[in-house]
Amino acid sequence: MKLKQENFLFVDLLSSIFLIALLLGNMFGMLYITDGNIAISLIASLLIVVFYYFILQMLKQNKEYIVNKKYMAPQSLFFLVFVLFGIVSFILINHFLTVETSYKERIRQDAYKKIESVQNIITEYGRRADDDLQTLEGKSTTLLTQLKSNNSAALKNTLSQDPYKIDERVLAAPGYINVQDVVNSSLEPVRKRMDADKKSFQKVFVPDLKNFKSDFDSWNRLTIMQNYEDLKQYYSKAGKFLNQKIGELPYSKTPVELIDKKEITQINDPMEMLKESKNFWLPLLFVLITHLFILIPYFTYKVRKYKNNTGSTGPISGGIEI
């Protein structure tokens, strides 16, 4: 016959609150490990909590047998499983706290540098485009003026090639060339392409970079790791695209180097975070406290402890409530 349990609802509610706290701690740790995959992090954390609850129920159901066997019963192994899950929770929560205390600003600064680097390439493109357009205008004017006074086949060949690309029919009659009109005509498509690129960069890249900066300013823990992965990919693709556009300029084609900085890769490695941990006692204390409160339903669960006259244990009368 089971004993009447007192404060059943209260202790189970208290245990559930600490299970939820453990769920959140594990999930945030998993988010940093899975590069922000919310689905995997939530499912894995829920499974861990379900196992905790299952183990707790097994311990409660077998408490009378475990106690009367002086914890030498096979069911006592559930405590070992509970400890193993505690170690897993400690690693996950330690991972979360280590990133928050030791890597948060490093990740932010790396993100800001990547954002600034893309902005610098956009600015550099604009500066080079303006300089190249002036250079192209000056060289075109000089060469066409020379062609008018010296009908040279070499000059005609040069002016018909990149970056000048002046119509060969125009070059065929140098004496009739209006230098300023021909220069303006040849520069017009180049100028339009450059202006279109500048407007495109302002329309596409600038809003994206502002959004990324806002993400890292606010540091939403549910999405920050996905934001960081997205930024790294965006940074690489944007850099290649912008340098491709720089390569289309008339003269200043040298690519702008992206910042040569080693990626912060160890943030998804829990073992590395364990080595980096400086305040491991905080997650350890958190795990110990949560586990003690999770086990409250077991500690407060009343069972009968039996004793006979010889001191051996067994299901005899004269039970003592514990």
Side-chain angles (χ1 to χ4, degrees):
M1 178 178 172
K2 291 186 178 180
L3 294 176
K4 182 180 179 181
Q5 306 298 320
E6 298 176 3
N7 300 322
F8 175 76
L9 181 60
F10 174 74
V11 295
D12 272 35
L13 181 61
L14 191 61
S15 177
S16 299
I17 290 171
F18 280 88
L19 274 172
I20 293 171
L22 201 62
L23 166 69
L24 293 175
N26 288 341
M27 187 179 72
F28 283 125
M30 286 292 295
L31 281 170
Y32 286 150
I33 292 171
T34 60
D35 295 327
N37 191 315
I38 295 177
I40 291 177
S41 301
L42 182 58
I43 291 170
S45 301
L46 282 171
L47 285 175
I48 291 173
V49 168
V50 168
F51 277 117
Y52 270 116
Y53 183 78
F54 171 77
I55 295 167
L56 177 61
Q57 297 309 309
M58 290 299 99
L59 287 170
K60 282 173 61 177
Q61 290 174 18
N62 292 278
K63 182 176 180 180
E64 185 167 318
Y65 184 71
I66 292 171
V67 169
N68 282 290
K69 286 291 185 179
K70 296 182 179 179
Y71 289 88
M72 297 303 291
Q75 288 87 338
S76 296
L77 289 174
F78 282 118
F79 284 108
L80 179 59
V81 179
F82 201 81
V83 170
L84 291 176
F85 274 100
I87 293 172
V88 173
S89 293
F90 165 74
I91 291 172
L92 293 175
I93 294 168
N94 178 75
H95 188 93
F96 167 68
L97 288 177
T98 303
V99 173
E100 286 289 317
T101 57
S102 300
Y103 281 84
K104 183 176 179 178
E105 283 309 310
R106 288 171 61 180
I107 293 170
R108 261 186 178 154
Q109 292 308 312
D110 183 54
Y112 292 154
K113 285 180 180 179
K114 283 178 168 58
I115 293 169
E116 184 181 5
S117 181
V118 175
Q119 289 173 331
N120 288 342
I121 297 176
I122 294 172
T123 302
E124 181 65 10
Y125 176 87
R127 186 189 65 79
R128 291 190 188 188
D130 292 341
D131 290 347
D132 279 14
L133 199 61
Q134 289 183 5
T135 301
L136 182 60
E137 182 178 12
K139 288 188 174 183
S140 298
T141 301
T142 300
L143 292 175
L144 283 169
T145 302
Q146 291 176 359
L147 183 65
K148 281 180 66 70
S149 60
N150 179 13
N151 191 357
S152 166
L155 284 174
K156 288 180 182 179
N157 184 60
T158 299
L159 287 166
S160 65
Q161 302 297 320
D162 190 46
Y164 308 101
K165 293 183 178 180
I166 297 175
D167 194 328
E168 292 183 359
R169 291 172 296 180
V170 174
L171 298 174
Y176 294 97
I177 289 176
N178 182 312
V179 173
Q180 194 58 51
D181 287 347
V182 173
V183 168
N184 290 338
S185 178
S186 65
L187 289 181
E188 188 60 23
V190 179
R191 184 181 287 109
K192 283 184 176 179
R193 188 184 73 240
M194 289 178 176
D195 288 343
D197 286 340
K198 290 176 186 176
K199 290 178 181 178
S200 175
F201 297 162
Q202 291 298 317
K203 184 178 180 180
V204 176
F205 289 106
V206 172
D208 286 347
L209 295 175
K210 285 182 179 178
N211 289 335
F212 275 122
K213 187 175 185 306
S214 176
D215 290 337
F216 288 93
D217 285 341
S218 60
W219 194 267
N220 184 340
R221 290 170 181 82
L222 290 175
T223 59
I224 193 63
M225 293 314 298
Q226 187 59 56
N227 296 148
Y228 189 48
E229 285 302 306
D230 291 344
L231 175 60
K232 286 191 286 187
Q233 294 179 20
Y234 186 90
Y235 172 69
S236 177
K237 290 178 181 178
K240 289 177 182 177
F241 177 78
L242 291 169
N243 274 322
Q244 180 184 337
K245 287 295 182 180
I246 286 175
E248 295 173 2
L249 292 174
Y251 300 108
S252 306
K253 299 176 180 290
T254 306
V256 178
E257 289 188 19
L258 299 176
I259 54 173
D260 185 17
K261 182 178 175 61
K262 186 178 179 181
E263 296 287 356
I264 305 174
T265 55
Q266 60 267 41
I267 50 177
N268 56 9
D269 187 339
M271 292 301 105
E272 280 296 321
M273 290 295 101
L274 204 56
K275 295 175 187 176
E276 293 278 338
S277 179
K278 296 176 182 178
N279 298 311
F280 68 89
W281 59 270
L282 281 173
L284 181 60
L285 187 62
F286 176 81
V287 169
L288 287 174
I289 292 173
T290 53
H291 280 60
L292 285 173
F293 277 95
I294 289 169
L295 282 172
I296 277 183
Y298 170 81
F299 293 137
T300 59
Y301 191 75
K302 290 186 177 183
V303 297
R304 291 186 181 275
K305 184 175 181 182
Y306 298 99
K307 291 185 178 180
N308 59 21
N309 294 330
T310 61
S312 61
T313 58
I316 62 175
S317 60
I320 301 173
E321 288 189 8
I322 64 169

